[in-house]
């Protein structure tokens, strides 16, 4: 190799180690400057999800999780309001809704951090339809 040729990673190791699989989103940066998996995780914090929804225009992964987070939060809010109108049983169900919503948020954060496009029933389909619109 002469002085003008620069050594590239492909020249050093043409075949990376087998058995090491990187996440499909590991290392990809968003227009916000975060990696995709960290941005997806943060989307499930409601206010940050709203911010990412308006700031991120290019990255589909971030937009998917931000939109799913917002739709899920709105659905949980509406369910909570409806349960408030049902006497006694509604109050008990409303008390159970908060820990279930928190557990769902933690689960979705984990899925986003792993780089998965995990779609919730109904809401995930609505999100896909919104993202396909021009």
């Amino acid at each position: 190799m002469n002085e003008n040729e620069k050594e590239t990673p492909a020249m050093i190791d043409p075949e990376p180690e087998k058995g090491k699989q990187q996440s499909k989103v590991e290392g990809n940066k968003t227009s916000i400057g975060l990696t995709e998996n960290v941005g997806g995780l943060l989307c499930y914090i409601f206010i940050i999800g709203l911010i990412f929804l308006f700031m991120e225009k290019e990255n589909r992964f971030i937009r998917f999780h931000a939109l799913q987070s917002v739709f899920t939060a709105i659905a949980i809010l509406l369910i909570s309001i409806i349960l408030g109108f049902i006497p006694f049983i509604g109050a008990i169900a409303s008390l159970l809704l908060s820990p279930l919503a928190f557990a769902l948020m933690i689960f979705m954060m984990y899925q986003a951090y792993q780089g998965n496009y995990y779609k919730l029933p109904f809401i995930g389909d609505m999100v896909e339809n919104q993202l396909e619109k021009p």
Side-chain angles (χ1 to χ4, degrees):
M1 182 180 313
N2 66 34
E3 295 174 17
N4 295 335
E5 291 180 28
K6 292 186 179 177
E7 200 171 273
T8 62
M11 297 170 110
I12 295 170
D13 191 12
E15 217 173 295
E17 292 178 28
K18 292 188 171 129
K20 274 190 171 180
Q21 292 184 342
Q22 291 184 349
S23 172
K24 62 184 171 190
V25 294
E26 188 177 313
N28 292 344
K29 295 282 185 179
T30 65
S31 63
I32 300 169
L34 296 170
T35 57
E36 285 183 341
N37 60 345
V38 172
L41 175 138
L42 291 174
C43 284
Y44 288 97
I45 300 172
F46 180 70
I47 300 299
I48 296 173
L50 278 175
I51 293 168
F52 282 2
L53 185 61
F54 292 111
M55 289 182 63
E56 184 63 54
K57 299 296 180 195
E58 298 171 13
N59 192 302
R60 189 180 195 316
F61 185 78
I62 298 292
R63 291 190 53 78
F64 172 82
H65 286 291
L67 200 55
Q68 183 164 260
S69 167
V70 170
F71 282 8
T72 303
I74 291 170
I76 290 170
L77 177 68
L78 291 175
I79 291 169
S80 179
I81 290 170
I82 292 168
L83 287 174
F85 287 113
I86 303 170
F88 190 68
I89 295 173
I92 293 171
S94 187
L95 287 174
L96 293 174
L97 185 63
S98 295
L100 291 175
F102 181 73
L104 177 65
M105 181 183 72
I106 298 297
F107 175 74
M108 294 308 297
M109 285 177 159
Y110 175 77
Q111 291 296 325
Y113 189 73
Q114 294 299 317
N116 299 329
Y117 276 89
Y118 189 86
K119 286 181 10 178
L120 292 171
F122 306 113
I123 293 173
D125 295 331
M126 290 182 350
V127 168
E128 286 289 328
N129 290 337
Q130 286 295 317
L131 288 177
E132 290 174 3
K133 291 182 180 177

